[in-house]
Amino acid sequence: MPLKTTAADMVSTARARIREVETKDAIAMVDDPDVVIVDIRDIRERQRSGYIPGSVHAPRGMIEFWVDPDSPYFKEVFGQADKTYLFHCASGWRSALTVATLQDMGFDAAHLREGFSTWETQGGPVEKSDL
């Protein structure tokens, strides 16, 4: 049975109303102490592909709870009003939906348009985990 809205449609709608950052611009932000890069990929993706040095891992399924100061799951890293938050996933789909949802909540954030998929090929630093 056909869906009323496809995942691709949802991503397209989200992208039309959020701030997207190109990979080359995000690479320039890595060492900026005012930027928090948030990786919402599954832990297995981070272990397999590596991750952006200094990035915060926040699983997609918990992010709304982690950014909400009224939630029992709130994480202090998301309570820094003076920071710029840049979310990413593997290809930019999950992070687009995440940032649109966070924007609806009143949390200001952007996302890495192409995700981690072009990070390393465009010269972005990557750390690998021994886990």
PDB file of all heavy atoms in Angstrom, residues 21-53:
ATOM      1  N   VAL A  21      25.047  22.816   5.870  1.00  0.00           N
ATOM      2  CA  VAL A  21      26.453  23.200   5.783  1.00  0.00           C
ATOM      3  C   VAL A  21      27.148  22.237   4.832  1.00  0.00           C
ATOM      4  O   VAL A  21      26.993  21.014   4.951  1.00  0.00           O
ATOM      5  CB  VAL A  21      27.103  23.162   7.185  1.00  0.00           C
ATOM      6  CG1 VAL A  21      28.596  23.450   7.101  1.00  0.00           C
ATOM      7  CG2 VAL A  21      26.409  24.145   8.130  1.00  0.00           C
ATOM      8  N   GLU A  22      27.899  22.784   3.897  1.00  0.00           N
ATOM      9  CA  GLU A  22      28.663  21.970   2.957  1.00  0.00           C
ATOM     10  C   GLU A  22      29.859  21.342   3.676  1.00  0.00           C
ATOM     11  O   GLU A  22      30.378  21.895   4.646  1.00  0.00           O
ATOM     12  CB  GLU A  22      29.156  22.822   1.782  1.00  0.00           C
ATOM     13  CG  GLU A  22      28.045  23.407   0.935  1.00  0.00           C
ATOM     14  CD  GLU A  22      27.233  22.360   0.197  1.00  0.00           C
ATOM     15  OE1 GLU A  22      27.776  21.273  -0.124  1.00  0.00           O
ATOM     16  OE2 GLU A  22      26.053  22.622  -0.079  1.00  0.00           O
ATOM     17  N   THR A  23      30.322  20.216   3.167  1.00  0.00           N
ATOM     18  CA  THR A  23      31.417  19.481   3.791  1.00  0.00           C
ATOM     19  C   THR A  23      32.656  20.341   3.967  1.00  0.00           C
ATOM     20  O   THR A  23      33.248  20.383   5.049  1.00  0.00           O
ATOM     21  CB  THR A  23      31.743  18.211   2.982  1.00  0.00           C
ATOM     22  OG1 THR A  23      30.559  17.414   2.886  1.00  0.00           O
ATOM     23  CG2 THR A  23      32.849  17.411   3.629  1.00  0.00           C
ATOM     24  N   LYS A  24      33.065  21.055   2.941  1.00  0.00           N
ATOM     25  CA  LYS A  24      34.283  21.875   3.030  1.00  0.00           C
ATOM     26  C   LYS A  24      34.160  22.940   4.121  1.00  0.00           C
ATOM     27  O   LYS A  24      35.132  23.238   4.812  1.00  0.00           O
ATOM     28  CB  LYS A  24      34.631  22.495   1.682  1.00  0.00           C
ATOM     29  CG  LYS A  24      33.613  23.504   1.176  1.00  0.00           C
ATOM     30  CD  LYS A  24      34.055  24.109  -0.152  1.00  0.00           C
ATOM     31  CE  LYS A  24      33.016  24.993  -0.769  1.00  0.00           C
ATOM     32  NZ  LYS A  24      32.451  26.006   0.077  1.00  0.00           N
ATOM     33  N   ASP A  25      32.982  23.489   4.288  1.00  0.00           N
ATOM     34  CA  ASP A  25      32.761  24.493   5.331  1.00  0.00           C
ATOM     35  C   ASP A  25      32.770  23.855   6.716  1.00  0.00           C
ATOM     36  O   ASP A  25      33.266  24.437   7.681  1.00  0.00           O
ATOM     37  CB  ASP A  25      31.445  25.240   5.092  1.00  0.00           C
ATOM     38  CG  ASP A  25      31.465  26.001   3.772  1.00  0.00           C
ATOM     39  OD1 ASP A  25      32.523  26.564   3.420  1.00  0.00           O
ATOM     40  OD2 ASP A  25      30.425  26.016   3.077  1.00  0.00           O
ATOM     41  N   ALA A  26      32.231  22.653   6.816  1.00  0.00           N
ATOM     42  CA  ALA A  26      32.218  21.938   8.096  1.00  0.00           C
ATOM     43  C   ALA A  26      33.630  21.538   8.505  1.00  0.00           C
ATOM     44  O   ALA A  26      33.980  21.603   9.690  1.00  0.00           O
ATOM     45  CB  ALA A  26      31.315  20.712   8.011  1.00  0.00           C
ATOM     46  N   ILE A  27      34.455  21.148   7.539  1.00  0.00           N
ATOM     47  CA  ILE A  27      35.838  20.790   7.840  1.00  0.00           C
ATOM     48  C   ILE A  27      36.552  21.973   8.484  1.00  0.00           C
ATOM     49  O   ILE A  27      37.318  21.808   9.435  1.00  0.00           O
ATOM     50  CB  ILE A  27      36.572  20.294   6.565  1.00  0.00           C
ATOM     51  CG1 ILE A  27      36.001  18.929   6.141  1.00  0.00           C
ATOM     52  CG2 ILE A  27      38.080  20.223   6.790  1.00  0.00           C
ATOM     53  CD1 ILE A  27      36.453  18.456   4.761  1.00  0.00           C
ATOM     54  N   ALA A  28      36.255  23.165   8.012  1.00  0.00           N
ATOM     55  CA  ALA A  28      36.868  24.375   8.574  1.00  0.00           C
ATOM     56  C   ALA A  28      36.384  24.658   9.997  1.00  0.00           C
ATOM     57  O   ALA A  28      37.014  25.425  10.724  1.00  0.00           O
ATOM     58  CB  ALA A  28      36.574  25.571   7.668  1.00  0.00           C
ATOM     59  N   MET A  29      35.298  24.039  10.415  1.00  0.00           N
ATOM     60  CA  MET A  29      34.723  24.266  11.751  1.00  0.00           C
ATOM     61  C   MET A  29      35.260  23.302  12.810  1.00  0.00           C
ATOM     62  O   MET A  29      35.007  23.487  13.994  1.00  0.00           O
ATOM     63  CB  MET A  29      33.197  24.122  11.694  1.00  0.00           C
ATOM     64  CG  MET A  29      32.497  25.034  10.733  1.00  0.00           C
ATOM     65  SD  MET A  29      30.784  24.499  10.478  1.00  0.00           S
ATOM     66  CE  MET A  29      29.910  25.816  11.261  1.00  0.00           C
ATOM     67  N   VAL A  30      35.985  22.259  12.396  1.00  0.00           N
ATOM     68  CA  VAL A  30      36.395  21.191  13.307  1.00  0.00           C
ATOM     69  C   VAL A  30      37.114  21.710  14.553  1.00  0.00           C
ATOM     70  O   VAL A  30      36.854  21.249  15.655  1.00  0.00           O
ATOM     71  CB  VAL A  30      37.245  20.129  12.574  1.00  0.00           C
ATOM     72  CG1 VAL A  30      37.929  19.197  13.556  1.00  0.00           C
ATOM     73  CG2 VAL A  30      36.385  19.341  11.626  1.00  0.00           C
ATOM     74  N   ASP A  31      38.010  22.648  14.382  1.00  0.00           N
ATOM     75  CA  ASP A  31      38.799  23.136  15.514  1.00  0.00           C
ATOM     76  C   ASP A  31      38.203  24.374  16.181  1.00  0.00           C
ATOM     77  O   ASP A  31      38.834  24.951  17.069  1.00  0.00           O
ATOM     78  CB  ASP A  31      40.235  23.424  15.059  1.00  0.00           C
ATOM     79  CG  ASP A  31      40.963  22.155  14.658  1.00  0.00           C
ATOM     80  OD1 ASP A  31      40.749  21.114  15.316  1.00  0.00           O
ATOM     81  OD2 ASP A  31      41.732  22.194  13.673  1.00  0.00           O
ATOM     82  N   ASP A  32      37.022  24.780  15.773  1.00  0.00           N
ATOM     83  CA  ASP A  32      36.375  25.948  16.360  1.00  0.00           C
ATOM     84  C   ASP A  32      35.752  25.565  17.705  1.00  0.00           C
ATOM     85  O   ASP A  32      34.847  24.730  17.754  1.00  0.00           O
ATOM     86  CB  ASP A  32      35.289  26.469  15.415  1.00  0.00           C
ATOM     87  CG  ASP A  32      34.664  27.772  15.864  1.00  0.00           C
ATOM     88  OD1 ASP A  32      34.695  28.074  17.077  1.00  0.00           O
ATOM     89  OD2 ASP A  32      34.125  28.482  14.999  1.00  0.00           O
ATOM     90  N   PRO A  33      36.219  26.161  18.798  1.00  0.00           N
ATOM     91  CA  PRO A  33      35.689  25.794  20.117  1.00  0.00           C
ATOM     92  C   PRO A  33      34.228  26.201  20.327  1.00  0.00           C
ATOM     93  O   PRO A  33      33.597  25.747  21.282  1.00  0.00           O
ATOM     94  CB  PRO A  33      36.612  26.532  21.090  1.00  0.00           C
ATOM     95  CG  PRO A  33      37.177  27.666  20.294  1.00  0.00           C
ATOM     96  CD  PRO A  33      37.249  27.185  18.871  1.00  0.00           C
ATOM     97  N   ASP A  34      33.697  27.017  19.428  1.00  0.00           N
ATOM     98  CA  ASP A  34      32.299  27.436  19.542  1.00  0.00           C
ATOM     99  C   ASP A  34      31.351  26.532  18.768  1.00  0.00           C
ATOM    100  O   ASP A  34      30.144  26.788  18.722  1.00  0.00           O
ATOM    101  CB  ASP A  34      32.149  28.886  19.071  1.00  0.00           C
ATOM    102  CG  ASP A  34      32.881  29.848  19.978  1.00  0.00           C
ATOM    103  OD1 ASP A  34      32.919  29.608  21.205  1.00  0.00           O
ATOM    104  OD2 ASP A  34      33.428  30.845  19.468  1.00  0.00           O
ATOM    105  N   VAL A  35      31.888  25.488  18.144  1.00  0.00           N
ATOM    106  CA  VAL A  35      31.070  24.561  17.354  1.00  0.00           C
ATOM    107  C   VAL A  35      31.073  23.193  18.016  1.00  0.00           C
ATOM    108  O   VAL A  35      32.117  22.670  18.380  1.00  0.00           O
ATOM    109  CB  VAL A  35      31.607  24.445  15.907  1.00  0.00           C
ATOM    110  CG1 VAL A  35      30.838  23.386  15.124  1.00  0.00           C
ATOM    111  CG2 VAL A  35      31.540  25.794  15.203  1.00  0.00           C
ATOM    112  N   VAL A  36      29.873  22.627  18.160  1.00  0.00           N
ATOM    113  CA  VAL A  36      29.714  21.256  18.660  1.00  0.00           C
ATOM    114  C   VAL A  36      29.206  20.424  17.491  1.00  0.00           C
ATOM    115  O   VAL A  36      28.104  20.660  16.979  1.00  0.00           O
ATOM    116  CB  VAL A  36      28.723  21.193  19.841  1.00  0.00           C
ATOM    117  CG1 VAL A  36      28.532  19.747  20.298  1.00  0.00           C
ATOM    118  CG2 VAL A  36      29.184  22.080  20.993  1.00  0.00           C
ATOM    119  N   ILE A  37      30.033  19.480  17.051  1.00  0.00           N
ATOM    120  CA  ILE A  37      29.637  18.573  15.971  1.00  0.00           C
ATOM    121  C   ILE A  37      29.019  17.343  16.614  1.00  0.00           C
ATOM    122  O   ILE A  37      29.625  16.716  17.486  1.00  0.00           O
ATOM    123  CB  ILE A  37      30.836  18.206  15.087  1.00  0.00           C
ATOM    124  CG1 ILE A  37      31.392  19.474  14.426  1.00  0.00           C
ATOM    125  CG2 ILE A  37      30.427  17.164  14.041  1.00  0.00           C
ATOM    126  CD1 ILE A  37      32.646  19.268  13.617  1.00  0.00           C
ATOM    127  N   VAL A  38      27.798  17.027  16.190  1.00  0.00           N
ATOM    128  CA  VAL A  38      27.034  15.945  16.798  1.00  0.00           C
ATOM    129  C   VAL A  38      26.787  14.853  15.767  1.00  0.00           C
ATOM    130  O   VAL A  38      26.165  15.087  14.736  1.00  0.00           O
ATOM    131  CB  VAL A  38      25.686  16.451  17.366  1.00  0.00           C
ATOM    132  CG1 VAL A  38      24.941  15.326  18.064  1.00  0.00           C
ATOM    133  CG2 VAL A  38      25.903  17.643  18.293  1.00  0.00           C
ATOM    134  N   ASP A  39      27.275  13.674  16.067  1.00  0.00           N
ATOM    135  CA  ASP A  39      27.166  12.501  15.202  1.00  0.00           C
ATOM    136  C   ASP A  39      25.979  11.665  15.685  1.00  0.00           C
ATOM    137  O   ASP A  39      25.995  11.133  16.785  1.00  0.00           O
ATOM    138  CB  ASP A  39      28.466  11.708  15.314  1.00  0.00           C
ATOM    139  CG  ASP A  39      28.552  10.513  14.379  1.00  0.00           C
ATOM    140  OD1 ASP A  39      27.510  10.074  13.853  1.00  0.00           O
ATOM    141  OD2 ASP A  39      29.678  10.017  14.207  1.00  0.00           O
ATOM    142  N   ILE A  40      24.953  11.558  14.851  1.00  0.00           N
ATOM    143  CA  ILE A  40      23.758  10.806  15.262  1.00  0.00           C
ATOM    144  C   ILE A  40      23.716   9.399  14.672  1.00  0.00           C
ATOM    145  O   ILE A  40      22.722   8.690  14.828  1.00  0.00           O
ATOM    146  CB  ILE A  40      22.463  11.566  14.914  1.00  0.00           C
ATOM    147  CG1 ILE A  40      22.305  11.730  13.410  1.00  0.00           C
ATOM    148  CG2 ILE A  40      22.417  12.902  15.643  1.00  0.00           C
ATOM    149  CD1 ILE A  40      20.918  12.183  12.986  1.00  0.00           C
ATOM    150  N   ARG A  41      24.801   8.988  14.045  1.00  0.00           N
ATOM    151  CA  ARG A  41      24.832   7.642  13.469  1.00  0.00           C
ATOM    152  C   ARG A  41      24.832   6.592  14.575  1.00  0.00           C
ATOM    153  O   ARG A  41      25.195   6.851  15.718  1.00  0.00           O
ATOM    154  CB  ARG A  41      26.087   7.460  12.610  1.00  0.00           C
ATOM    155  CG  ARG A  41      26.116   8.349  11.385  1.00  0.00           C
ATOM    156  CD  ARG A  41      27.415   8.210  10.630  1.00  0.00           C
ATOM    157  NE  ARG A  41      28.532   8.575  11.499  1.00  0.00           N
ATOM    158  CZ  ARG A  41      29.776   8.116  11.357  1.00  0.00           C
ATOM    159  NH1 ARG A  41      30.072   7.270  10.377  1.00  0.00           N
ATOM    160  NH2 ARG A  41      30.738   8.501  12.179  1.00  0.00           N
ATOM    161  N   ASP A  42      24.480   5.397  14.200  1.00  0.00           N
ATOM    162  CA  ASP A  42      24.531   4.250  15.094  1.00  0.00           C
ATOM    163  C   ASP A  42      25.979   4.004  15.505  1.00  0.00           C
ATOM    164  O   ASP A  42      26.905   4.250  14.720  1.00  0.00           O
ATOM    165  CB  ASP A  42      23.964   3.037  14.338  1.00  0.00           C
ATOM    166  CG  ASP A  42      23.944   1.792  15.164  1.00  0.00           C
ATOM    167  OD1 ASP A  42      22.942   1.567  15.842  1.00  0.00           O
ATOM    168  OD2 ASP A  42      24.948   1.046  15.114  1.00  0.00           O
ATOM    169  N   ILE A  43      26.192   3.508  16.694  1.00  0.00           N
ATOM    170  CA  ILE A  43      27.540   3.257  17.199  1.00  0.00           C
ATOM    171  C   ILE A  43      28.323   2.342  16.266  1.00  0.00           C
ATOM    172  O   ILE A  43      29.533   2.505  16.071  1.00  0.00           O
ATOM    173  CB  ILE A  43      27.506   2.690  18.650  1.00  0.00           C
ATOM    174  CG1 ILE A  43      28.919   2.632  19.244  1.00  0.00           C
ATOM    175  CG2 ILE A  43      26.856   1.327  18.703  1.00  0.00           C
ATOM    176  CD1 ILE A  43      29.536   3.957  19.514  1.00  0.00           C
ATOM    177  N   ARG A  44      27.658   1.387  15.630  1.00  0.00           N
ATOM    178  CA  ARG A  44      28.346   0.479  14.699  1.00  0.00           C
ATOM    179  C   ARG A  44      28.856   1.221  13.463  1.00  0.00           C
ATOM    180  O   ARG A  44      29.901   0.886  12.909  1.00  0.00           O
ATOM    181  CB  ARG A  44      27.434  -0.685  14.316  1.00  0.00           C
ATOM    182  CG  ARG A  44      27.190  -1.628  15.489  1.00  0.00           C
ATOM    183  CD  ARG A  44      26.122  -2.664  15.177  1.00  0.00           C
ATOM    184  NE  ARG A  44      24.796  -2.092  14.984  1.00  0.00           N
ATOM    185  CZ  ARG A  44      23.925  -1.862  15.978  1.00  0.00           C
ATOM    186  NH1 ARG A  44      24.230  -2.165  17.212  1.00  0.00           N
ATOM    187  NH2 ARG A  44      22.749  -1.341  15.726  1.00  0.00           N
ATOM    188  N   GLU A  45      28.134   2.245  13.017  1.00  0.00           N
ATOM    189  CA  GLU A  45      28.597   3.048  11.888  1.00  0.00           C
ATOM    190  C   GLU A  45      29.870   3.811  12.263  1.00  0.00           C
ATOM    191  O   GLU A  45      30.804   3.911  11.473  1.00  0.00           O
ATOM    192  CB  GLU A  45      27.525   4.057  11.472  1.00  0.00           C
ATOM    193  CG  GLU A  45      26.306   3.447  10.817  1.00  0.00           C
ATOM    194  CD  GLU A  45      25.259   4.495  10.535  1.00  0.00           C
ATOM    195  OE1 GLU A  45      24.472   4.821  11.445  1.00  0.00           O
ATOM    196  OE2 GLU A  45      25.240   5.006   9.389  1.00  0.00           O
ATOM    197  N   ARG A  46      29.879   4.362  13.472  1.00  0.00           N
ATOM    198  CA  ARG A  46      31.074   5.085  13.942  1.00  0.00           C
ATOM    199  C   ARG A  46      32.268   4.137  14.049  1.00  0.00           C
ATOM    200  O   ARG A  46      33.379   4.495  13.676  1.00  0.00           O
ATOM    201  CB  ARG A  46      30.794   5.726  15.304  1.00  0.00           C
ATOM    202  CG  ARG A  46      29.975   6.986  15.221  1.00  0.00           C
ATOM    203  CD  ARG A  46      29.616   7.523  16.605  1.00  0.00           C
ATOM    204  NE  ARG A  46      30.742   7.809  17.484  1.00  0.00           N
ATOM    205  CZ  ARG A  46      31.314   9.008  17.621  1.00  0.00           C
ATOM    206  NH1 ARG A  46      30.880  10.025  16.916  1.00  0.00           N
ATOM    207  NH2 ARG A  46      32.311   9.172  18.471  1.00  0.00           N
ATOM    208  N   GLN A  47      32.043   2.945  14.544  1.00  0.00           N
ATOM    209  CA  GLN A  47      33.136   1.982  14.690  1.00  0.00           C
ATOM    210  C   GLN A  47      33.659   1.531  13.328  1.00  0.00           C
ATOM    211  O   GLN A  47      34.863   1.380  13.134  1.00  0.00           O
ATOM    212  CB  GLN A  47      32.663   0.778  15.504  1.00  0.00           C
ATOM    213  CG  GLN A  47      32.401   1.115  16.956  1.00  0.00           C
ATOM    214  CD  GLN A  47      31.642   0.017  17.684  1.00  0.00           C
ATOM    215  OE1 GLN A  47      31.012  -0.850  17.087  1.00  0.00           O
ATOM    216  NE2 GLN A  47      31.675   0.072  19.009  1.00  0.00           N
ATOM    217  N   ARG A  48      32.765   1.353  12.396  1.00  0.00           N
ATOM    218  CA  ARG A  48      33.139   0.860  11.064  1.00  0.00           C
ATOM    219  C   ARG A  48      33.826   1.948  10.225  1.00  0.00           C
ATOM    220  O   ARG A  48      34.843   1.697   9.583  1.00  0.00           O
ATOM    221  CB  ARG A  48      31.883   0.356  10.337  1.00  0.00           C
ATOM    222  CG  ARG A  48      32.116  -0.280   8.994  1.00  0.00           C
ATOM    223  CD  ARG A  48      30.851  -0.881   8.390  1.00  0.00           C
ATOM    224  NE  ARG A  48      29.725   0.039   8.351  1.00  0.00           N
ATOM    225  CZ  ARG A  48      28.600  -0.090   9.097  1.00  0.00           C
ATOM    226  NH1 ARG A  48      28.461  -1.095   9.944  1.00  0.00           N
ATOM    227  NH2 ARG A  48      27.626   0.774   8.995  1.00  0.00           N
ATOM    228  N   SER A  49      33.293   3.171  10.240  1.00  0.00           N
ATOM    229  CA  SER A  49      33.766   4.231   9.346  1.00  0.00           C
ATOM    230  C   SER A  49      34.670   5.253  10.003  1.00  0.00           C
ATOM    231  O   SER A  49      35.263   6.064   9.315  1.00  0.00           O
ATOM    232  CB  SER A  49      32.585   5.015   8.779  1.00  0.00           C
ATOM    233  OG  SER A  49      31.572   4.200   8.345  1.00  0.00           O
ATOM    234  N   GLY A  50      34.702   5.248  11.322  1.00  0.00           N
ATOM    235  CA  GLY A  50      35.415   6.300  12.025  1.00  0.00           C
ATOM    236  C   GLY A  50      34.484   7.459  12.310  1.00  0.00           C
ATOM    237  O   GLY A  50      33.290   7.412  12.004  1.00  0.00           O
ATOM    238  N   TYR A  51      35.033   8.511  12.882  1.00  0.00           N
ATOM    239  CA  TYR A  51      34.212   9.650  13.289  1.00  0.00           C
ATOM    240  C   TYR A  51      35.028  10.926  13.261  1.00  0.00           C
ATOM    241  O   TYR A  51      36.266  10.897  13.207  1.00  0.00           O
ATOM    242  CB  TYR A  51      33.602   9.411  14.668  1.00  0.00           C
ATOM    243  CG  TYR A  51      34.622   9.055  15.731  1.00  0.00           C
ATOM    244  CD1 TYR A  51      35.221  10.042  16.505  1.00  0.00           C
ATOM    245  CD2 TYR A  51      34.998   7.735  15.934  1.00  0.00           C
ATOM    246  CE1 TYR A  51      36.168   9.705  17.455  1.00  0.00           C
ATOM    247  CE2 TYR A  51      35.935   7.390  16.884  1.00  0.00           C
ATOM    248  CZ  TYR A  51      36.526   8.389  17.652  1.00  0.00           C
ATOM    249  OH  TYR A  51      37.463   8.063  18.583  1.00  0.00           O
ATOM    250  N   ILE A  52      34.363  12.036  13.286  1.00  0.00           N
ATOM    251  CA  ILE A  52      35.010  13.342  13.288  1.00  0.00           C
ATOM    252  C   ILE A  52      35.616  13.571  14.672  1.00  0.00           C
ATOM    253  O   ILE A  52      34.911  13.439  15.684  1.00  0.00           O
ATOM    254  CB  ILE A  52      33.995  14.447  12.942  1.00  0.00           C
ATOM    255  CG1 ILE A  52      33.431  14.218  11.534  1.00  0.00           C
ATOM    256  CG2 ILE A  52      34.645  15.833  13.066  1.00  0.00           C
ATOM    257  CD1 ILE A  52      32.258  15.101  11.164  1.00  0.00           C
ATOM    258  N   PRO A  53      36.909  13.888  14.736  1.00  0.00           N
ATOM    259  CA  PRO A  53      37.548  14.113  16.040  1.00  0.00           C
ATOM    260  C   PRO A  53      36.813  15.179  16.847  1.00  0.00           C
ATOM    261  O   PRO A  53      36.439  16.228  16.318  1.00  0.00           O
ATOM    262  CB  PRO A  53      38.958  14.596  15.670  1.00  0.00           C
ATOM    263  CG  PRO A  53      39.187  14.081  14.284  1.00  0.00           C
ATOM    264  CD  PRO A  53      37.836  14.072  13.630  1.00  0.00           C
TER     265      PRO A  53
END
